[in-house]
Amino acid sequence: MNKTFPKGFLWGGAIAANQAEGAWNIDGKGLSVADVATFKANLSLDDYDGHVGVTTKSVSEAMADKTDTIYPKRRGIDFYHHYKEDIALFAEMGFKTLRVSIAWSRIFPTGEELEPNEDGLRFYDNVFHELKRYGIEPIVTLSHYEMPLHLSVAYNGWVNRDVIDHFVRFSDVCFNRYKGLVKYWLTFNEIDSINRHPFTTAGIIPDQCPPGKEEELVYQALHHQFVASALVTKSCHEIIPGSQVGCMLTKLTTYPHTCKPEDVEVALKKNLHNYFYADVQVFGEYPALTLRMFENKGIQLHFEEGDLDILRHNPVDFVSFSYYMSLTESAEEGLEKAAGNTIMGVKNPYLPATDWGWQIDPLGLKISLLELYDRYKKPLLIVENGMGAVDQVESDGTIHDSYRIDYFKAHFRQMKAAVDEGVELLGYTSWGPIDIVSAGTSQMSKRYGFIYVDQDDEGNGTLERRRKDSFYWYQQVIETNGASLFETTPK
Ligand code: BG6
């Protein structure tokens, strides 16, 4: 069997504006929902939603606070001023691609303006030109947990249908501006996460929803995102001939805890629910079981005339997803739990876990690839994967992160096995190739990078960038297009 990945495989990394850029209040940028996210120390298993506690009061207090003290995403890693240095390091690793997002509130500070902020647009011009200099292909997410805060406060976010128009205006500005520079676009990061953290994903402030109506409004907001996604898929294809637009799913692969049919049923339902989000974006229609679930729960969604046609006629071109861990589910109550990416499951006795308790399952990545490819028959792109860990800087400044290398090596081998079994995989971007602020906890100490950033949870540090051992290891993987993964003695 050939030891290398397919020719042209897009090796790279992924970051999001709100976790990396910093520069939260300069060059005309407006506040985004990320700018009011507070620092949280390691979350307890019982309270594992990293986005808990958002209220009208907490948002207005955050708006009044002009510092970044308890709002680490306001500082990020200052990619805004370091992008040249960071891109040079990515190029040194041999990146073929970099996934970034565009901060909507940098382009439309409140979301309601009719004309874009030129300074914001210029920043991304600079980033894309810098990438081009090194032959690095951008993959751009339009919405990655950073909608303008004003749209959240004044509209309760995506609950209000008018937000579709604001998003389409923003997206069209991006397509027209960057059409010569960006071919690959993603609409909504982890669109399914609206159910787990509605504020971060869709600007919904729970106490603004009438009691008992929160779930219905979350699905209504999701419907608006589906329609918006389909509309901008259409305009992207019109404005940028040859462009490719993908959906983005949190792949929450769930195993039954035992082969007891009751456990199998629970796991199946979790998986079907996870697929529902991508099903709409790929097949262009709501699954029958989901529509029936709405009916059974008394959830009444308002579909406008034409919505279903818009979905039907504008499916995505490829399916992208994040994969960090697998989950286990049981019909039984009271079993020991384990944490995952903003979700909990039953502890899987066969798997080790990261410092944050996320269970490490490389074979689960292969299983996910096979499932997704078989179901959707569309090219796949892994746009997030990696392990958050505490790194130790040695006295000579080196960082020996062999645990990270082990994690990636095992996942890459399974990725290759899936490709060898017929999966069409366009590329792979590791999450946080450079340490950035955590989405869930806003910790800096939860590090994913091949590149270390000298900054602690409180924002102290020089912001100096340092190559970890994994930096050189990934460089080798990319240089050999994966062949080095199968060498017994590393070069
Ligand atoms: C994904 C998000 O869910 O998980 C990223 O798209 C996030 O934004 C990543 O950073 C890892 O989660 P965390 O909470 O460890 O940063």
Side-chain angles (χ1 to χ4, degrees):
M1 194 66 79
N2 190 343
K3 293 266 172 54
T4 56
F5 279 72
K7 193 161 176 282
F9 190 78
L10 291 170
W11 290 105
I15 58 174
N18 76 86
Q19 293 166 255
E21 287 175 7
W24 64 289
N25 58 355
I26 64 169
D27 293 342
K29 181 182 172 297
L31 280 176
S32 85
V33 292
D35 294 322
V36 302
T38 49
F39 173 79
K40 294 178 181 65
N42 227 346
L43 295 161
S44 81
L45 289 188
D46 292 336
D47 201 17
Y48 198 73
D49 182 343
H51 309 259
V52 284
V54 175
T55 60
T56 303
K57 186 164 169 277
S58 72
V59 171
S60 62
E61 280 168 7
M63 288 169 80
D65 188 337
K66 303 295 176 211
T67 73
D68 61 17
T69 315
I70 59 166
Y71 306 104
K73 287 177 188 141
R74 293 183 181 187
R75 34 181 197 266
I77 55 160
D78 200 22
F79 179 74
Y80 195 76
H81 296 108
H82 289 252
Y83 70 92
K84 285 193 180 173
E85 178 188 351
D86 294 343
I87 290 172
L89 285 164
F90 298 146
E92 190 182 325
M93 268 190 282
F95 276 23
K96 312 289 179 214
T97 188
L98 181 72
R99 176 183 173 221
V100 295
S101 65
I102 295 179
W104 185 354
S105 65
R106 223 178 257 299
I107 313 300
F108 290 97
T110 68
E112 281 181 330
E113 295 81 0
L114 297 180
E115 294 303 321
N117 170 29
E118 180 56 30
D119 285 348
L121 287 171
R122 197 173 308 114
F123 169 66
Y124 297 103
D125 270 334
N126 294 341
V127 169
F128 298 144
H129 278 292
E130 197 66 13
L131 290 173
K132 201 182 163 108
R133 232 159 65 78
Y134 294 103
I136 298 175
E137 181 84 51
I139 298 171
V140 176
T141 314
L142 289 161
S143 180
H144 193 135
Y145 303 163
E146 55 218 352
M147 81 184 296
L149 186 63
H150 173 76
L151 295 180
S152 168
V153 173
Y155 295 62
N156 207 12
W158 281 91
V159 168
N160 189 318
R161 191 174 173 105
D162 291 349
V163 173
I164 297 178
D165 293 340
H166 297 311
F167 182 74
V168 170
R169 190 169 61 255
F170 157 65
S171 301
D172 284 358
V173 162
C174 294
F175 300 148
N176 280 306
R177 179 76 173 219
Y178 306 122
K179 62 182 165 205
L181 296 164
V182 182
K183 173 181 169 192
Y184 293 100
W185 297 85
L186 308 180
T187 54
F188 291 90
N189 181 65
E190 297 185 334
I191 195 162
D192 52 290
S193 65
I194 194 169
N195 245 309
R196 301 189 297 281
H197 40 81
F199 176 71
T200 310
T201 307
I204 302 171
I205 304 175
D207 64 33
Q208 295 290 321
C209 302
K213 283 284 175 196
E214 195 193 323
E215 190 178 13
E216 181 171 283
L217 292 182
V218 163
Y219 282 114
Q220 185 65 56
L222 172 68
H223 177 69
H224 295 151
Q225 292 194 335
F226 281 147
V227 172
S229 177
L231 286 171
V232 305
T233 299
K234 182 171 188 285
S235 56
C236 187
H237 288 150
E238 286 165 2
I239 297 169
I240 316 178
S243 57
Q244 298 281 302
V245 185
C247 57
M248 199 304 204
L249 180 73
T250 323
K251 185 69 179 79
L252 299 172
T253 300
T254 304
Y255 305 137
H257 184 55
T258 70
C259 55
K260 219 167 33 177
E262 286 80 357
D263 285 357
V264 175
E265 187 197 15
V266 175
L268 173 78
K269 285 190 172 161
K270 290 269 175 187
N271 285 318
L272 290 180
H273 181 78
N274 187 225
Y275 281 130
F276 140 62
Y277 300 87
D279 284 358
V280 175
Q281 294 182 287
V282 175
F283 301 134
E285 59 181 21
Y286 278 81
L289 296 181
T290 303
L291 292 174
R292 186 55 186 262
M293 179 269 282
F294 291 154
E295 209 181 307
N296 291 346
K297 286 184 156 187
I299 292 174
Q300 290 183 337
L301 297 191
H302 177 66
F303 292 0
E304 276 196 6
E305 207 188 323
D307 281 2
L308 297 180
D309 280 341
I310 291 168
L311 297 181
R312 189 168 312 119
H313 295 307
N314 301 290
V316 290
D317 303 305
F318 64 91
V319 174
S320 80
F321 68 98
S322 62
Y323 175 86
Y324 290 92
M325 75 306 129
S326 61
L327 292 158
T328 303
E329 275 303 342
S330 167
E332 240 177 84
E333 302 280 314
L335 297 174
E336 192 184 348
K337 296 275 186 183
N341 186 2
T342 63
I343 195 160
M344 295 284 301
V346 170
K347 190 171 165 53
N348 185 330
Y350 301 102
L351 300 177
T354 68
D355 295 339
W356 270 257
W358 298 14
Q359 298 180 111
I360 302 173
D361 182 12
L363 182 54
L365 176 58
K366 179 184 176 194
I367 293 168
S368 304
L369 285 163
L370 293 172
E371 283 178 343
L372 288 168
Y373 192 61
D374 186 58
R375 189 178 187 93
Y376 297 126
K377 300 171 181 61
K378 297 252 185 194
L380 302 179
L381 188 55
I382 300 169
V383 290
E384 288 187 29
N385 170 244
M387 76 180 297
V390 177
D391 290 333
Q392 179 67 42
V393 184
E394 304 298 333
S395 50
D396 62 356
T398 54
I399 298 117
H400 304 303
D401 55 343
S402 56
Y403 37 89
R404 187 169 287 111
I405 294 173
D406 292 344
Y407 177 100
F408 282 125
K409 188 189 282 174
H411 283 77
F412 292 178
R413 285 180 171 172
Q414 293 298 341
M415 225 157 76
K416 178 67 166 61
V419 169
D420 289 342
E421 288 182 28
V423 169
E424 189 184 350
L425 184 60
L426 297 173
Y428 171 93
T429 59
S430 75
W431 180 250
I434 181 166
D435 296 342
I436 52 178
V437 175
S438 153
T441 62
S442 293
Q443 289 171 296
M444 192 62 213
S445 48
K446 188 178 189 186
R447 297 175 182 274
Y448 284 86
F450 304 111
I451 301 163
Y452 186 90
V453 176
D454 180 28
Q455 179 175 233
D456 67 13
D457 285 338
E458 282 76 44
N460 305 308
T462 61
L463 289 177
E464 188 198 340
R465 276 64 168 152
R466 290 191 192 134
R467 297 163 186 81
K468 304 181 192 175
D469 285 357
S470 57
F471 178 100
Y472 302 103
W473 176 83
Y474 195 37
Q475 185 181 53
Q476 189 72 34
V477 171
I478 299 176
E479 195 185 312
T480 62
N481 198 15
S484 64
L485 296 166
F486 303 96
E487 280 163 11
T488 38
T489 34
K491 278 191 188 165

